[in-house]
Amino acid sequence: LAEEKQMEEQRLAEEKQMEEQRLAEEKQMEEQRLAEERQMEEERLAKERRMEEQRIDEERQMEEQRLAKERQMEEQRIDEERQMEEQRLAKERQMKEQRIDEERQMEEQRL
């Protein structure tokens, strides 16, 4: 009877140990699954962040290009205005010189 009781206690102890081992393995697997999920989420967020940074860079580049083109067009407009003004002044000067030459010639002819 004592031997039977001892065998029963041993069987229960082994069952308890097996159950504890099974629970420990389950806990370890759950922790591993959670760690993998966390890593995947971190990778997804990092990819999202990179894509957002890239989108912002592209927008900034496009804005810089737009501003550069605007600046170039404004400089070109100013150059064209300056050229037209220089041409107008040159023509004015030429006409004055021509008028003075004609007056001088008339004066010389009169004398």
Side-chain angles (χ1 to χ4, degrees):
L1 194 68
E3 193 178 312
E4 211 174 279
K5 186 179 175 187
Q6 186 182 355
M7 283 174 66
E8 181 63 17
E9 285 175 359
Q10 188 176 343
R11 187 184 64 76
L12 289 173
E14 286 174 1
E15 273 184 22
K16 184 179 175 188
Q17 184 182 352
M18 284 172 65
E19 181 63 13
E20 286 173 356
Q21 188 176 343
R22 187 186 65 76
L23 289 172
E25 286 173 2
E26 267 183 27
K27 183 180 175 187
Q28 184 181 355
M29 284 172 65
E30 180 64 12
E31 287 173 355
Q32 186 176 344
R33 187 187 65 76
L34 289 172
E36 288 170 359
E37 275 183 17
R38 194 167 42 248
Q39 184 179 353
M40 284 171 63
E41 181 65 9
E42 286 172 2
E43 288 171 3
R44 186 188 66 77
L45 290 172
K47 184 177 181 180
E48 250 179 45
R49 200 166 36 248
R50 282 192 306 271
M51 286 172 68
E52 180 65 10
E53 288 169 358
Q54 186 177 349
R55 185 188 63 76
I56 290 170
D57 281 350
E58 288 170 358
E59 281 182 7
R60 183 184 43 74
Q61 271 184 324
M62 284 172 63
E63 182 63 11
E64 286 174 359
Q65 288 173 352
R66 186 187 66 76
L67 289 173
K69 184 166 186 148
E70 251 180 44
R71 196 166 40 248
Q72 182 185 358
M73 286 172 67
E74 181 64 13
E75 288 171 0
Q76 187 176 344
R77 186 189 62 77
I78 290 170
D79 282 350
E80 288 171 358
E81 283 180 5
R82 185 182 42 74
Q83 278 182 332
M84 285 171 64
E85 182 64 12
E86 286 174 358
Q87 287 173 354
R88 188 187 65 77
L89 289 172
K91 185 165 187 144
E92 226 176 71
R93 191 169 45 249
Q94 182 185 358
M95 287 172 67
K96 274 184 187 174
E97 288 172 359
Q98 189 176 345
R99 188 178 47 80
I100 290 170
D101 282 352
E102 288 172 357
E103 285 176 5
R104 189 173 29 77
Q105 282 177 353
M106 284 171 63
E107 185 64 23
E108 286 174 359
Q109 286 174 0
R110 197 180 57 81
L111 294 174

